[in-house]
Amino acid sequence: MTTAAAAALRGDELRPVPRERAILESFFTQLGMFSFDRAKDYVEKEKDSTRSAGAIWTALLAALGHLAAAEKAYYNMTFLGQKLGIEW
């Protein structure tokens, strides 16, 4: 048995990541680094470039843009509360 065949049987071969998964991983990585504007711009750019995609995918990308905006607003509220002396 060849090395490639043995690797295929074990499941060790590298498989390409689906485009949708790569987009989601990149989006949530950017959110995790507090790059809210970059994450929002990224999904909006993907939404514009995938006009022919299904309605569900387009709606998900739109919702992710709203999520990034909401996360940014929530993140900024904690600093506002600290400036005003409000405990959360």
Side-chain angles (χ1 to χ4, degrees):
M1 184 181 303
T2 65
T3 307
L9 287 175
R10 288 192 313 262
D12 291 345
E13 71 182 57
L14 296 176
R15 297 182 187 137
V17 176
R19 185 170 194 274
E20 292 82 5
R21 181 175 177 167
I23 291 168
L24 292 174
E25 286 178 357
S26 179
F27 172 78
F28 285 110
T29 299
Q30 291 170 5
L31 275 189
M33 295 186 310
F34 305 108
S35 298
F36 306 114
D37 292 329
R38 179 187 266 176
K40 183 179 178 188
D41 292 342
Y42 179 70
V43 293
E44 286 177 353
K45 183 185 78 160
E46 288 298 327
K47 186 175 69 169
D48 292 340
S49 68
T50 58
R51 287 283 180 197
S52 62
I56 294 173
W57 179 248
T58 304
L60 175 63
L61 291 176
L64 290 176
H66 293 298
L67 175 64
E71 286 289 325
K72 180 180 179 182
Y74 180 76
Y75 181 76
N76 289 332
M77 271 199 316
T78 59
F79 292 112
L80 179 64
Q82 290 174 356
K83 289 179 185 177
L84 297 175
I86 300 171
E87 299 266 342
W88 294 100

